[in-house]
Amino acid sequence: MTITLITGANKGIGFETARQLLALGHVVYIGARDVERGEKAAAALGARFVRLDVTDDASVSDALATIDAAEGRLDVLVNNAGILGDGVTDGPTALRAFDTNAVGLVRVTEAALPLLRRSANPTVVNVSSSAGSFWAVTHPDRPEFHLPLAIYSASKAAATMLTVQYAKSEPGIRFNAVEPGTTATDLTAAFGIGRTPEESARVVVRFATLGTDGPTGTFQDENGEVPW
């Protein structure tokens, strides 16, 4: 039995990742800030719910303590929660985006490490973005070149770097960042672009179900490693 926690999983890619992992036999905990939405999503899928706000230390600590008490370990962590941080480019907007997309990743990962170390096959998947790739945003033929998302891109560059650094400091745990593909979610509604969350969740699921010989410290999309 594989115990999995997915942050920001009450909708979008996180929700579809939960659905697919449940179908593979995982025990899935859906982490969400909003209790009503989180409980509704968990009930719809047959998953379990923990209230988890990645920007709040106490909330993160309580969520992992709940999983610890119920399961005694964590096998897979999917850091999926994220915000776009678009609109006005200013300090408060940047702080909110980095607090969710990068600092939140640190909060949850640090709280989860003791539980992950008890797993026989510990795996962390960080949902990042090629919008945070220097390579992608400097190539005019790439869609990321045209996205006016400076703060989001910078926060996702940080998320990818954190992935690599965690892989180095925790060699017993696999850490990989993934670009799930341009997806039609609440996050991208203003752009009117993207495929279904179900399609994009597949790459997240692939890295959430790696064997013990799987890669670590990489940034990949469905086609392989992404230059960044």
Side-chain angles (χ1 to χ4, degrees), residues 59-70:
S59 168
V60 171
S61 178
D62 288 348
L64 272 298
T66 297
I67 296 172
D68 189 7

Side-chain angles (χ1 to χ4, degrees), residues 81 96-107 154-156 158-159 162:
R96 281 194 301 273
F98 272 83
D99 198 19
T100 302
N101 299 348
V103 182
L105 185 155
V106 173
R107 283 192 187 94
S155 69
K156 287 300 187 179
L162 284 165

Side-chain angles (χ1 to χ4, degrees), residues 154-196:
S155 69
K156 287 300 187 179
T160 304
M161 178 57 76
L162 284 165
T163 304
V164 174
Q165 296 297 339
Y166 269 119
K168 290 167 64 179
S169 64
E170 295 288 338
I173 302 172
R174 269 182 319 285
F175 284 83
N176 291 288
V178 298
E179 157 58 71
T182 305
T183 313
T185 65
D186 289 354
L187 215 63
T188 59
F191 300 101
I193 55 175
R195 61 189 182 181
T196 66

Side-chain angles (χ1 to χ4, degrees), residues 8 13 23 39 48 60 64 70 81 92 105-106 108-109 114-116 122 130 136 142 150 160 166 170 184 195 200 228:
I13 294 172
E39 289 181 339
R48 302 176 187 184
V60 171
L64 272 298
L105 185 155
V106 173
V108 177
T109 301
L115 281 73
L116 287 163
S130 52
R142 294 282 305 188
T160 304
Y166 269 119
E170 295 288 338
R195 61 189 182 181
S200 294
W228 61 285

Side-chain angles (χ1 to χ4, degrees), residues 196-219:
T196 66
E198 180 182 2
E199 292 176 275
S200 294
R202 288 177 191 150
V203 67
V204 182
V205 169
R206 189 202 315 164
F207 281 89
T209 54
L210 290 173
T212 54
D213 59 347
T216 188
T218 69
F219 177 37

